Amino acid sequence: MNSPDIVDAGSWFTEARIARMGRITVALRTRGGWPAADARRRGWEACGGPIGEIEALLRILETAGIISQTVDRLILTKTGDAVALRVRRGDRTALSLVLLRGGLLHRQARFLLEVSTVDENRILRCPFTIARAKAPQLVGMLIAWPNVMTRPVLTVPAELVTELSAAWALLPPFQVPSDARERQQVGHRAEYYSWIHEREKGAEQVFWVARERDDLGYDIEDRRVDPPRCIEVKGRRDRTVTFVLSDNEWQRAVAHRERYEIHFWGDIDLNRTPSEEYGILRADGWPHIVVDPAGTLRDTSQWQLAPIGWRVSAVIDTANTYPEPR
C-alpha cells in the first residue's frame, strides 16, 4: 500500500515509516524548507526507502500539522520544529503524540480503549496479546514511552490514557468537508460525542457498534446492563430538534422500548475541532435524549411525526410481467 487513505493511515504506520517521517522532519529544519516542486526527491534523499511512498509520508505530516505548504515551498510548522528537535535527540515520542492527536490512529485508539480496563487512577491495562492484535501500530508507538509497561499486561499511565481518550485522538483526521460529505461528518461527530458521553459515566462496556456494522438500527450499545441499552444518535448543524428514523430504527425502537434511546446533538460546527466542540455542546445542554421513542414520540403535544416517503416493493415477478423498454 503505497498511498494510504489518511482516515485509515494508522495500520500503515510501521516503525520504519515513522522513522522515515522523523528524518524528513529533521531534514526540513536543517535545510530551511524545500521547494514544493522538488519535495519528493529531497524527501527521499533525507529518509531513503521506497521513493513511491514519499508523497504519502509528506501528506501525513501535513495532515498532522507538522509541515505546511505555501505556494511554492514546504516548511516546518511551529509544532514540526519542536518535533524535529526531539527527533534529533533520539526521542520519537513527540512525533508519535502529534500523530495520535491528529486522529491518525483513531480506529486503533478506540479499539484499545474498548478492550482495556481503566481504573480509578486512570491507568489502562490490557493483556498484551489482545492489545497487540487490536491495535498493533498504536501499541508499537506507546511502548516507546519509558513509563509504559508491556508484558504480561500492557499498562499505560494516566497522562497517556488522557491523550488516547481525547476527542482529537478518536475521530478521523480533521478535514473541511465537501457538501457531499458534510452530513456524514456531522453524523460521525454526533455518534462520537454520545460514545464519549456514556463512557464518562464509567461505562467501560460501552461500544460504538455502528463503526463496525450499519444494520443494527442503533449506533451505541451499553453492555453494563443485560439486555443492553441501545442508543441511536442523530445530529444537526443547527439547534432545531428534527431528525429522520429509518424503518429499521423504528422497528428496533418498538422491539426494545425502554432499552432504546435517541441522542440528538444540535449546533454541530465542522469548523471547530472535536475537542473544543464537545465541551461547548455539553455545557449548552446537549444531547437531547428521548427514552422509549416508540412510546414517547406518539405524544402529539410534544412531537410531530410525518411520513416523508413510501417504500415500494414488487410482489410479482416483474421480469416476465412488463414489456421490454422501447
Side-chain angles (χ1 to χ4, degrees):
M1 182 170 61
N2 288 336
S3 184
D5 183 340
I6 290 295
V7 171
D8 296 309
S11 61
W12 196 72
F13 288 155
T14 62
E15 184 176 352
R17 285 170 177 146
I18 293 174
R20 294 174 71 209
M21 281 189 273
R23 289 196 288 272
I24 288 174
T25 305
V26 171
L28 271 166
R29 184 176 192 271
T30 55
R31 299 181 187 184
W34 299 333
D38 200 30
R40 187 168 183 261
R41 179 185 65 83
R42 293 205 180 196
W44 180 73
E45 289 178 348
C47 70
I51 193 168
E53 292 186 358
I54 297 299
E55 290 178 4
L57 294 173
L58 293 173
R59 190 158 52 99
I60 289 168
L61 289 171
E62 184 174 10
T63 300
I66 292 172
I67 64 176
S68 176
Q69 183 168 341
T70 63
V71 175
D72 60 354
R73 294 193 71 79
L74 218 61
I75 59 174
L76 285 181
T77 64
K78 184 177 179 180
T79 296
D81 191 63
V83 167
L85 286 172
R86 295 276 290 276
V87 172
R88 278 180 54 178
R89 299 174 189 146
D91 179 3
R92 289 213 306 267
T93 59
L95 173 59
S96 297
L97 197 57
V98 172
L99 296 175
L100 180 64
R101 288 173 174 172
L104 288 155
L105 290 106
H106 67 105
R107 292 186 187 276
Q108 295 192 32
R110 180 169 56 85
F111 289 156
L112 182 60
L113 288 171
E114 288 183 348
V115 299
S116 303
T117 59
V118 179
D119 65 20
E120 65 277 6
N121 296 316
R122 299 288 295 163
I123 296 174
L124 178 146
R125 292 182 175 86
C126 181
F128 183 74
T129 53
I130 294 176
R132 187 173 58 183
K134 285 288 187 179
Q137 286 75 30
L138 176 58
V139 169
M141 289 185 183
L142 292 177
I143 61 179
W145 272 267
N147 50 355
V148 172
M149 295 184 289
T150 55
R151 297 181 182 275
V153 175
L154 176 71
T155 304
V156 181
E159 61 270 19
L160 270 180
V161 175
T162 298
E163 294 287 351
L164 285 172
S165 57
W168 51 79
L170 291 166
L171 280 178
F174 174 75
Q175 296 172 312
V176 177
S178 64
D179 290 342
R181 296 174 52 207
E182 184 174 301
R183 184 175 299 177
Q184 184 182 45
Q185 293 261 350
V186 169
H188 285 171
R189 283 210 187 188
E191 289 175 22
Y192 167 73
Y193 295 153
S194 282
W195 181 74
I196 202 69
H197 173 56
E198 290 298 317
R199 289 183 65 90
E200 283 179 346
K201 303 173 185 177
E204 299 299 333
Q205 292 299 308
V206 175
F207 295 87
W208 191 350
V209 292
R211 300 306 297 267
E212 312 306 322
R213 294 181 58 181
D214 61 2
D215 61 344
L216 294 173
Y218 54 88
D219 303 305
I220 310 291
E221 195 169 271
D222 177 6
R223 299 175 189 167
R224 291 177 300 168
V225 293
D226 187 19
R229 291 166 60 225
C230 304
I231 302 170
E232 171 62 23
V233 184
K234 304 295 183 180
R236 282 178 67 91
R237 299 197 67 173
D238 58 36
R239 300 182 63 86
T240 307
V241 181
T242 182
F243 51 86
V244 175
L245 288 173
S246 69
D247 182 64
N248 187 34
E249 291 161 359
W250 181 255
Q251 294 303 322
R252 293 297 184 271
V254 171
H256 298 319
R257 295 306 300 256
E258 290 82 4
R259 295 191 293 107
Y260 194 97
E261 300 176 14
I262 294 174
H263 287 194
F264 180 88
W265 297 82
D267 261 355
I268 292 176
D269 183 350
L270 297 176
N271 292 311
R272 295 189 292 213
T273 64
S275 55
E276 171 195 18
E277 180 167 67
Y278 178 71
I280 292 172
L281 295 182
R282 288 293 297 127
D284 203 22
W286 301 104
H288 185 90
I289 298 176
V290 182
V291 179
D292 184 18
T296 303
L297 297 182
R298 296 183 191 276
D299 180 356
T300 57
S301 66
Q302 299 291 326
W303 300 95
Q304 292 182 346
L305 276 73
I308 60 171
W310 294 93
R311 174 179 291 175
V312 179
S313 301
V315 295
I316 55 178
D317 183 2
T318 60
N320 298 315
T321 301
Y322 301 108
E324 292 292 325
R326 294 179 180 177

